[in-house]
Amino acid sequence: MTILNRRDLMIGAGALGAAAILPRTGHAAGTLTAAIYPGTWEEAYRGVVAPALKKAADIDVAFDSLFAVDQVAKVRAARGVPPFDCFVLDPGPAAAAQAAGLFEPIDASKLSNAPKVPTGLITSHGVTCNAQVVGIAYNPKKFAAAPKGWADLFKSPYVERLGLTGFQTTFGTVSIIEMAKVFGGSETNVEPVFAELKKAVAKAAAVAAPAAMPGLFQQGQIDIMYTNTNTVAILKGRGVDIEFVKPETGAITFQTTLHIVKGADNVANAYKYMDTAISAEVQTLLQRQPYNMIPINKDVTLVDTLDIKSLDELAKMATHDWSKINPLRAAWIERFNKEITK
């Protein structure tokens, strides 16, 4: 079994092509500062969204490369002096940030592409920019049969080649919750899966941070993991033997959203940034290799590398109530680190 240190995790992140963090530019007319996830998201938004925004509105965007929890922490620490104009967040951190009053309200009439986004994906304080789908990824050349569901991860021959990761990310949290349900738990009761994790950890191929998982899979150190279709498509595009399985209890979906920071300097430009991000032109480019992001614009025809055939499939997938999860998540992270990653 492999337990990775900080250096290993940096190598893992590098395997997905993490881009260098660039310094922020100052706020000025025709500019905008937006937080962005490191790695593929940063590459995609620098390579596609920023040029499209420049072309459409002559606005330069500077990116602040931060994971979701770090974005929220940075804005909280700024105490009313926003360090950037836009968040990009998954549902858990988004719910926490909204509860803390860190968002400006959204006026959908300022988004020309709003009518192209399915109902419910633009809310009072956020604009969905992409959907994510989570399930099981495995190497088809390493197993005689594909895994069928979450419980299979804890059985031979899968558990011996499994990569375990905890609650630090949205995909990790919702995957473990779905595993807990299979063993008798619920959205707020993960006790049953901790019992299974304690038995599995001695057999598993690796326990590591989420960013390291794709690199471990690519290097052949693990052959099965829980992850999103975006990661699967990226690895497949690099020639890695990998397939995505929707668990028999259903795949998981959640949305990634853009938000205007409370008190932002460049609100008008933030609207143009969000409007560009959800445009059909940009969404079409973001769904292609090497970015593989599931689009939310109804005018976009899905490519066949996304592991879903229609956006209608999203409505049938498992979703989660982060207002219930958030109060418990920090304790789950601490417990996973203490009892499983030790």
Side-chain angles (χ1 to χ4, degrees):
M1 182 180 71
T2 301
I3 297 177
L4 299 183
N5 58 30
R6 180 176 176 82
R7 179 177 179 276
D8 294 324
L9 306 188
M10 295 299 292
I11 293 172
L16 267 186
I21 297 174
L22 299 180
R24 294 180 55 227
T25 61
H27 291 169
T31 66
L32 167 82
T33 304
I36 195 69
Y37 296 147
T40 302
W41 276 81
E42 182 170 3
E43 293 176 14
Y45 271 57
R46 286 189 185 281
V48 175
V49 180
L53 180 63
K54 180 69 173 177
K55 179 180 178 182
D58 194 26
I59 293 172
D60 291 322
V61 55
F63 290 106
D64 195 350
S65 181
L66 295 164
F67 289 112
V69 293
D70 297 324
Q71 294 175 37
V72 176
K74 190 169 185 177
V75 171
R76 281 179 178 272
R79 298 181 181 277
V81 183
F84 45 81
D85 299 297
C86 268
F87 287 104
V88 58
L89 298 171
D90 287 347
Q98 182 159 354
L102 302 184
F103 298 154
E104 290 284 353
I106 294 295
D107 180 354
S109 70
K110 295 181 179 179
L111 301 167
S112 64
N113 290 297
K116 303 298 183 182
V117 176
T119 301
L121 296 190
I122 296 178
T123 67
S124 63
H125 290 80
V127 177
T128 297
C129 56
N130 290 98
Q132 297 198 42
V133 173
V134 176
I136 299 169
Y138 75 106
N139 184 334
K141 293 188 175 179
K142 298 294 184 179
F143 304 106
K148 294 181 179 179
W150 296 111
D152 287 346
L153 301 184
F154 299 86
K155 303 174 184 174
S156 294
Y158 307 109
V159 66
E160 290 84 359
R161 302 303 306 150
L162 175 63
L164 283 171
T165 191
F167 294 89
Q168 304 99 315
T169 59
T170 300
F171 82 83
T173 299
V174 292
S175 294
I176 296 174
I177 287 174
E178 291 304 302
M179 295 174 205
K181 290 179 181 178
V182 170
F183 292 109
S186 69
E187 191 170 60
T188 56
N189 175 20
V190 296
E191 192 65 33
V193 79
F194 264 108
E196 298 299 324
L197 287 168
K198 287 179 181 177
K199 290 186 285 186
V201 66
K203 303 176 184 176
V207 180
M213 285 295 160
L216 292 174
F217 197 102
Q218 187 169 356
Q219 295 157 16
Q221 295 187 49
I222 63 174
D223 292 312
I224 188 167
M225 61 181 175
Y226 34 101
T227 191
N228 56 27
T229 54
N230 175 267
T231 296
V232 173
I234 290 170
L235 291 177
K236 190 176 290 186
R238 293 175 180 173
V240 176
D241 292 318
I242 186 169
E243 294 295 340
F244 180 79
V245 173
K246 296 173 184 173
E248 54 194 357
T249 50
I252 303 163
T253 189
F254 61 87
Q255 286 80 44
T256 301
T257 46
L258 299 172
H259 308 266
I260 301 174
V261 180
K262 186 74 173 180
D265 291 340
N266 300 297
V267 172
N269 291 346
Y271 272 105
K272 293 175 182 176
Y273 170 71
M274 294 190 295
D275 203 29
T276 299
I278 63 174
S279 68
E281 177 186 9
V282 166
Q283 293 275 304
T284 296
L285 294 174
L286 292 179
Q287 72 166 340
R288 295 175 181 167
Q289 294 280 9
Y291 309 122
N292 308 294
M293 296 180 174
I294 296 175
I296 47 77
N297 189 302
K298 292 183 287 188
D299 285 351
V300 176
T301 302
L302 300 187
V303 294
D304 59 8
T305 53
L306 292 179
D307 284 307
I308 67 168
K309 303 303 179 188
S310 166
L311 295 184
D312 293 338
E313 293 181 29
L314 300 178
K316 303 174 184 176
M317 295 181 185
T319 57
H320 300 85
D321 185 346
W322 286 89
S323 68
K324 297 179 180 177
I325 296 170
N326 277 341
L328 304 170
R329 189 179 180 192
W332 292 347
I333 291 172
E334 182 178 357
R335 185 175 175 189
F336 188 95
N337 291 340
K338 182 179 180 181
E339 299 180 12
I340 309 301
T341 310
K342 62 183 179 180

